[in-house]
Amino acid sequence: MHRMIFGVLVVLFSAVASRGNIAMPASRALHARQVLRIIGFMYIPSLRRLDFIHFYKASVRFAMKDSNIVAGCLALLLLLVSPVAAKRPNVIFILTDNHGAWTLGCYGNKDIRTPNIDRLAEEGMLFTRAMSSNPVCSPTRATYLTGLLPSQHGVHSFLDNKYMVGPQAYYTLEEFETLPEILHSEGYVCGLSGKWHLGANRTPQDGFSYWITMVHGSTQNFYDDMIIQDGEIKKAPKYLTDLWTEHAVNFIEQNKDGDKPFFLYLAYNGPYCLGPSLSEPARNRHAEYYSDKELLSFPRDSIHPWQYNNKAFHNNIVSIRRVAAEVSGIDDGVGTIMDTLKKHGLEEDTIVIFTGDQGWMGGQNGFFGMGDHTRPIGAHDLMMHVPLIFRQPKQIKPGKTDIMVSNYDFLPSLLDYLGLEDRIPDKPKLPGRSFAATLRGEAIEWETAMFYEMEGCRSIRTENWKYVARRFPEGPTELYDMVHDPYERFNLFGQPRHAAIQREMAERLDAFFDEYADPEYDIWKGGRSKAHRLVAAEGHPEYRPQRKDQARKKLRGGH
Ligand SMILES: [Ca+2]
């Protein structure tokens, strides 16, 4: 107890010092405050480890700035002798595939059972408006790992299987510094369990030492799919969702007592909500529960004229029930991970992040799927809206935040939260902003301005407006009043009374991409796509005819 009282007194004294009540020059007072706070916090048993890291780093920076070597040495000494400062928290990054936030109980869904994800949200911070900057798998995964947009990292669309395994396989993010690479260089043990879909799947990339993944990017089914384990290609021994969970638990248990913190990338390929699996009933333990449910949270509506494929899944109760059961299957996995952390006493030392690669629509406005399932390519909010939850007991204050964040904000935010803000890459320049202050329970100034791009389609979303522009081919252009028309049903583009906002949004969109896009990958200016463009004007070097909708053909009449 005396230890704690001493700590509190020192911290209080540091606060007095910072107000300049003691006789010393302002710079010295600030300096003294930093050092005193470190000493004080060291003696408070409930010290928040990340606070310590932040105070320590601030102190070192200040000492450097002031050329005060003594202060620098003192700060370093304090770090070395401190019983609490050694290890950063573990990070578990759970990513789902094609997963709209609206399918979860904690985002208001009353039909689908997700008790574990809901509990994670209750114990952590839920972002009500987290968005992806692109609507397909590979680009969004590339964005989570680099903080860059497609027109910077060059992965504009999903990558074909030939880039995953075989003679043309290559890792598409080789030239960038990625999240696992940074964490590995900071002493983290890195493990991947689940979908990679960024190329060269057979080789562990970027500092990963545990590596089990899929052979391909897309999901055919969740059973008997081919996986890569220890460099070998083999048939998955069980339901994939459970397999990824099982390996995640293995990885946690292998590293629970180590000197190093761990980074687990648990990338479920479910719920997926696309392709062949939606034509068959679920086989997991939730199938029976949903087998007689109507699931009215999936709107039954006529198919939007822009819908390009997936038409067989519209208003199809088999598909809808399959989605619900796969979402609940992932919820089981989240529960197992949380139980594992609790069992080994790792809860407070581990930040758990739950999010999706991109949004997904299940009938709203007559759309089923994401932005690349419509022609023209779509940019509806629900194609972008992903769940986003951060939990670390005693560090992150439970609650909700309404700030609109993008997946390109994720990397700078996480590194900032971990006290690694000086490791945030600056080349190429990141478009994202750190929301770590929100996680720390501090006030944040945040202007709503969210950008999105899928090949020739780009959009800007502010608090009041959304503007969508398209090239190759040109148009149509869309303008929505997001306050009065949040479901984006009334396109106001071209109406004379909105001419000013239309112009302003177009200019902001162009200015943003002028600032951030790499000319090599800036599709609007003739740049290329590492995935090769799916939708381009005929005659363009990357033009590829649209693929036949196999699923539709196969499933015609299957409602
Ligand atoms: Ca996806």
Side-chain angles (χ1 to χ4, degrees):
M1 182 53 85
H2 69 277
R3 189 179 155 89
M4 181 164 170
I5 292 167
F6 176 72
V8 170
L9 284 174
V10 175
V11 171
L12 284 175
F13 180 69
S14 78
V16 174
S18 72
R19 288 212 303 269
N21 286 356
I22 56 173
M24 64 169 78
S27 63
R28 287 253 180 91
L30 181 59
H31 170 188
R33 179 181 66 123
Q34 294 288 3
V35 175
L36 286 169
R37 281 179 93 166
I38 291 172
I39 299 171
F41 273 95
M42 269 179 61
Y43 281 88
I44 300 175
S46 62
L47 167 73
R48 300 185 353 151
R49 177 173 298 147
L50 286 169
D51 276 348
F52 182 88
I53 293 169
H54 280 286
F55 285 130
Y56 163 71
K57 293 183 80 157
S59 177
V60 169
R61 263 202 301 277
F62 184 80
M64 303 280 282
K65 201 170 140 199
D66 206 30
S67 302
N68 193 329
I69 303 300
V70 178
C73 291
L74 183 59
L76 188 63
L77 186 70
L78 287 171
L79 181 75
L80 292 175
V81 300
S82 166
V84 290
K87 204 168 138 187
R88 289 182 202 279
N90 307 309
V91 178
I92 298 183
F93 177 42
I94 305 174
L95 187 69
T96 56
D97 199 356
N98 311 340
H99 189 188
W102 62 273
T103 61
L104 299 173
C106 51
Y107 283 88
N109 193 297
K110 303 268 189 272
D111 294 333
I112 302 182
R113 297 199 295 190
T114 54
N116 295 297
I117 298 168
D118 299 348
R119 183 157 59 88
L120 191 76
E122 260 169 45
E123 295 171 4
M125 178 162 288
L126 179 145
F127 287 73
T128 60
R129 300 194 301 168
M131 315 296 273
S132 63
S133 54
N134 172 285
V136 292
C137 297
S138 305
T140 49
R141 283 151 206 273
T143 297
Y144 276 116
L145 299 190
T146 62
L148 300 170
L149 284 162
S151 57
Q152 297 179 295
H153 57 57
V155 184
H156 281 278
S157 188
F158 61 87
L159 293 161
D160 283 348
N161 291 338
K162 64 184 177 192
Y163 301 122
M164 304 301 125
V165 172
Q168 291 186 66
Y170 83 106
Y171 178 33
T172 53
L173 301 180
E174 192 69 62
E175 69 266 44
F176 303 110
E177 216 182 354
T178 66
L179 179 65
E181 208 171 20
I182 293 166
L183 293 180
H184 178 66
S185 73
E186 292 288 338
Y188 277 79
V189 181
C190 300
L192 167 72
S193 177
K195 175 165 165 168
W196 179 242
H197 209 182
L198 289 168
N201 290 15
R202 216 161 173 167
T203 318
Q205 306 290 341
D206 288 352
F208 280 105
S209 49
Y210 193 109
W211 182 269
I212 178 165
T213 190
M214 294 163 74
V215 176
H216 297 142
S218 62
T219 294
Q220 295 301 306
N221 209 318
F222 291 87
Y223 303 87
D224 302 327
D225 262 343
M226 301 308 284
I227 57 160
I228 297 170
Q229 188 177 7
D230 303 323
E232 274 179 47
I233 293 177
K234 57 185 186 185
K235 197 183 256 193
K238 56 165 71 172
Y239 177 45
L240 275 180
T241 298
D242 288 347
L243 181 75
W244 308 134
T245 305
E246 182 183 295
H247 280 272
V249 170
N250 274 351
F251 176 76
I252 293 169
E253 293 189 337
Q254 278 176 17
N255 292 287
K256 67 183 169 62
D257 301 318
D259 296 334
K260 294 177 166 187
F262 63 78
F263 169 65
L264 167 64
Y265 182 20
L266 172 53
Y268 288 107
N269 62 315
Y272 203 65
C273 316
L274 294 177
S277 68
L278 290 197
S279 57
E280 292 168 21
R283 286 159 55 184
N284 69 11
R285 75 178 190 93
H286 301 279
E288 194 186 339
Y289 170 78
Y290 291 113
S291 64
D292 62 350
K293 301 292 182 292
E294 288 304 316
L295 299 163
L296 296 178
S297 56
F298 294 70
R300 314 297 209 269
D301 210 340
S302 53
I303 297 175
H304 194 287
W306 288 7
Q307 187 76 41
Y308 162 63
N309 51 12
N310 299 341
K311 290 179 187 174
F313 310 135
H314 270 271
N315 305 331
N316 180 340
I317 193 66
V318 173
S319 309
I320 288 168
R321 287 177 182 154
R322 180 77 195 248
V323 169
E326 295 302 339
V327 170
S328 291
I330 286 168
D331 185 76
D332 289 340
V334 173
T336 303
I337 298 301
M338 289 165 76
D339 291 346
T340 304
L341 294 178
K342 191 170 188 177
K343 180 176 155 195
H344 299 300
L346 294 170
E347 280 181 306
E348 289 177 19
D349 296 326
T350 306
I351 171 167
V352 177
I353 302 148
F354 179 87
T355 189
D357 64 346
Q358 69 271 327
W360 178 82
M361 297 181 81
Q364 297 90 344
N365 279 17
F367 289 125
F368 197 101
M370 301 98 68
D372 68 328
H373 303 120
T374 63
R375 295 292 182 271
I377 284 169
H380 195 282
D381 260 16
L382 290 178
M383 295 168 178
M384 312 175 195
H385 189 205
V386 289
L388 181 63
I389 301 162
F390 282 71
R391 184 193 76 157
Q392 188 183 7
K394 297 192 177 166
Q395 301 282 339
I396 294 174
K397 201 176 159 196
K400 288 185 182 183
T401 174
D402 294 328
I403 60 170
M404 184 177 284
V405 300
S406 168
N407 61 350
Y408 54 71
D409 299 319
F410 171 75
L411 178 126
S413 303
L414 179 61
L415 291 178
D416 182 2
Y417 178 77
L418 293 172
L420 293 169
E421 63 274 25
D422 49 0
R423 295 299 314 272
I424 298 171
D426 53 7
K427 278 189 189 118
K429 185 178 168 190
L430 298 194
R433 298 168 283 178
S434 168
F435 52 73
T438 299
L439 299 174
R440 293 193 290 260
E442 297 162 9
I444 190 167
E445 270 189 37
W446 193 270
E447 187 205 352
T448 302
M450 199 272 302
F451 295 86
Y452 165 95
E453 66 167 328
M454 169 70 194
E455 303 186 338
C457 172
R458 288 177 176 176
S459 79
I460 168 176
R461 165 81 154 86
T462 63
E463 199 54 47
N464 297 339
W465 296 94
K466 174 185 275 187
Y467 175 84
V468 186
R470 296 181 176 88
R471 302 272 188 282
F472 319 114
E474 193 81 15
T477 308
E478 297 168 84
L479 179 73
Y480 297 101
D481 176 342
M482 298 306 287
V483 176
H484 300 103
D485 178 25
Y487 299 105
E488 304 170 44
R489 285 176 171 269
F490 303 100
N491 183 4
L492 303 175
F493 181 79
Q495 294 195 4
R497 68 196 167 102
H498 297 303
I501 187 70
Q502 212 167 278
R503 200 168 42 246
E504 184 195 319
M505 297 289 272
E507 284 169 6
R508 281 188 72 175
L509 187 67
D510 286 346
F512 178 85
F513 283 94
D514 283 349
E515 183 175 358
Y516 293 103
D518 177 342
E520 187 180 355
Y521 303 121
D522 187 347
I523 282 183
W524 281 28
K525 293 185 177 170
R528 69 186 180 95
S529 161
K530 286 175 180 170
H532 299 290
R533 201 167 310 162
L534 292 173
V535 184
E538 209 164 341
H540 187 284
E542 292 195 41
Y543 171 75
R544 186 161 68 175
Q546 295 186 354
R547 297 184 312 167
K548 291 269 186 297
D549 183 3
Q550 299 296 347
R552 182 179 53 182
K553 264 200 206 156
K554 211 179 341 181
L555 297 169
R556 190 170 289 148
H559 286 228

